[in-house]
Amino acid sequence: MCIRDRYFKQLEEESIRDNFVVIYELLDEMMDNGYPQTTEFKILKEYIKTEHHELKSSKKSQNMQPTIPTAVSNAVSWRPEGIIHKKNEVFLDVIEKLSMLIGPQGNVIKSEINGCLKMKCYLSGMPDLKLGLNDKALFEATGKTTRGKAVELEDIKFHQCVRLSRFENERTITFVPPDGDSELITYRLNLNVKPLFTVEVIVESRSQTKIEFYVKAKSNFKAKNTANNVEVFIPVPCDAQQPSFKTAHGTVKYLPEKDAMGWSIKQFPGQKEMLMKASFSLPSIPSSKRDEYKKIPVNVEFEIQYLTVSGIQVRYLKIVEKSGYKALPWVRYITQNGNYQIRMGI
């Protein structure tokens, strides 16, 4: 999927026809007798010289001298030799997406965390990196103890640069990183965590032609953290019209294409409550599907920096390169919504 997006942005029938040669070459390089081989975008660009959307002219191709990609003769196929950066830095983003289904009374029905460690590497030469996490299995294997929380990771998947044998035997993560952007680790956790947000919706029918919504959104994470770009989508009757909104926080819009209203809050501090009131007019002759909105859950979107729900932490990131230069590692923690839904008790 990543290779497809990097090459074609959007894959449609027309783009497949226009780029048939490129697609054929991509599959030929990525697979060998049905087994995956090279999947690094930058390395594939070294192999495949054909431009997508248009073919090279015959005159141009005659002048092109065949060259062996550096990755072919290099033991580290995902990183070419001779890379030089003016400033040696590594940026590591620990991103967790929280998916939850919450009942009308605030009880958690289902929760899942999908996490990944994304890396931006700007290091010269052939550096060797060692990453330490608060991995429960590592502490158990080495007999060490930790003052903080230890996390038991599930369904771990590594980038091909990670030495799997070292991880399986010693639970240490060592690797020679690709240059630029890469997804180093993905993992999944099934944890019973406290909801970061709860939303209560009270619906009152003033008459057959008027309905009012009273919405209370509450943040349950620590007061020192702030959620950014919070979006709360509350379903409304399919035949609702003439909306009227009142809130002291953010803005509210009616989204008729979704049969919902969207409450946008730019910044939502922890341990806060925010209120919103909405009124709609209804036709005197009701739609047969008017009450279906009651079965649809509220959806919440958000992003909280400096927070991970699982408690995973980068304990250290050691960088060793034969030239002996010093590099700066930067770590950032982000929690985002996955499929975050709250059932309405109406």
Side-chain angles (χ1 to χ4, degrees):
M1 295 290 281
C2 180
I3 298 297
R4 180 202 71 183
D5 294 340
R6 298 287 288 272
Y7 264 92
F8 311 114
K9 304 297 181 188
Q10 290 184 342
L11 193 63
E12 298 175 355
E13 184 178 348
E14 187 177 346
S15 62
I16 292 174
R17 282 202 216 97
D18 293 342
N19 297 288
F20 176 78
V21 174
V22 178
I23 293 172
Y24 183 88
E25 290 185 22
L26 276 170
L27 292 173
D28 188 46
E29 296 296 347
M30 291 172 66
M31 306 288 287
D32 188 7
N33 292 323
Y35 293 97
Q37 299 296 318
T38 303
T39 56
E40 275 295 315
F41 173 74
K42 291 181 181 179
I43 302 302
L44 289 168
K45 290 289 281 187
E46 290 189 48
Y47 284 99
I48 299 168
K49 301 297 183 183
T50 308
E51 294 287 341
H52 44 282
H53 294 305
E54 59 180 7
L55 297 175
K56 300 259 185 185
S57 64
S58 57
K59 184 181 278 187
K60 231 176 188 178
S61 61
Q62 286 174 3
N63 294 331
M64 288 177 65
Q65 295 296 323
T67 57
I68 300 174
T70 55
V72 171
S73 54
N74 187 0
V76 183
S77 63
W78 53 87
R79 183 182 180 92
E81 294 180 353
I83 295 174
I84 298 175
H85 290 285
K86 289 182 179 179
K87 193 174 183 181
N88 294 293
E89 293 179 305
V90 179
F91 299 90
L92 195 63
D93 283 348
V94 182
I95 303 171
E96 291 190 339
K97 291 193 174 183
L98 176 62
S99 295
M100 295 193 88
L101 179 60
I102 303 168
Q105 308 304 320
N107 56 306
V108 177
I109 299 169
K110 184 173 67 173
S111 66
E112 184 179 79
I113 300 167
N114 288 285
C116 68
L117 275 70
K118 291 187 176 181
M119 186 170 58
K120 286 186 179 180
C121 181
Y122 305 108
L123 297 175
S124 304
M126 278 287 179
D128 205 299
L129 275 63
K130 184 176 182 180
L131 175 67
L133 304 173
N134 56 335
D135 179 14
K136 185 177 180 182
L138 171 63
F139 293 129
E140 290 177 350
T142 57
K144 295 180 180 178
T145 58
T146 176
R147 292 180 182 178
K149 182 180 179 182
V151 179
E152 189 171 357
L153 301 176
E154 301 171 17
D155 292 346
I156 309 176
K157 294 180 182 177
F158 293 106
H159 187 279
Q160 61 176 325
C161 67
V162 176
R163 300 179 182 100
L164 293 180
S165 58
R166 288 281 300 275
F167 179 77
E168 289 171 359
N169 296 328
E170 305 170 22
R171 297 294 291 191
T172 57
I173 303 170
T174 59
F175 55 96
V176 175
D179 192 48
D181 296 350
S182 62
E183 194 169 75
L184 185 66
I185 304 172
T186 62
Y187 59 91
R188 182 183 61 83
L189 290 168
N190 285 314
L191 290 178
N192 292 322
V193 296
K194 187 178 179 181
L196 296 179
F197 285 96
T198 52
V199 180
E200 296 178 26
V201 181
I202 298 173
V203 181
E204 293 185 0
S205 297
R206 293 296 180 186
S207 65
Q208 287 187 343
T209 59
K210 188 174 182 181
I211 190 170
E212 291 182 345
F213 289 76
Y214 297 88
V215 184
K216 180 172 74 173
K218 183 181 178 182
S219 57
N220 301 312
F221 47 89
K222 291 181 180 179
K224 67 179 182 179
N225 295 109
T226 299
N228 298 315
N229 303 318
V230 177
E231 299 277 351
V232 184
F233 297 97
I234 304 119
V236 300
C238 59
D239 54 355
Q241 53 194 10
Q242 296 178 347
S244 173
F245 306 111
K246 186 178 180 181
T247 182
H249 308 279
T251 58
V252 189
K253 289 183 179 179
Y254 176 43
L255 306 170
E257 71 280 2
K258 295 182 177 180
D259 292 331
M261 50 182 165
W263 186 9
S264 302
I265 304 165
K266 195 169 184 181
Q267 290 190 318
F268 202 136
Q271 300 298 313
K272 292 288 184 181
E273 287 184 1
M274 297 188 184
L275 304 175
M276 186 267 287
K277 178 186 174 183
S279 301
F280 293 89
S281 295
L282 298 172
S284 55
I285 301 175
S287 166
S288 60
K289 299 180 179 179
R290 176 177 289 182
D291 290 336
E292 287 190 2
Y293 78 97
K294 297 178 181 179
K295 303 174 185 176
I296 302 171
V298 173
N299 281 269
V300 186
E301 297 178 0
F302 56 85
E303 180 174 290
I304 308 171
Q305 296 202 12
Y306 315 113
L307 173 72
T308 55
V309 184
S310 68
I312 191 171
Q313 288 184 337
V314 176
R315 294 169 53 235
Y316 58 82
L317 181 61
K318 297 178 181 178
I319 303 165
V320 179
E321 212 278 332
K322 61 183 179 182
S323 63
Y325 63 71
K326 292 185 178 180
L328 296 172
W330 303 91
V331 182
R332 181 172 62 164
Y333 300 95
I334 302 172
T335 293
Q336 300 173 338
N337 64 284
N339 192 17
Y340 197 99
Q341 298 183 329
I342 304 165
R343 288 177 178 171
M344 296 192 297
I346 54 176

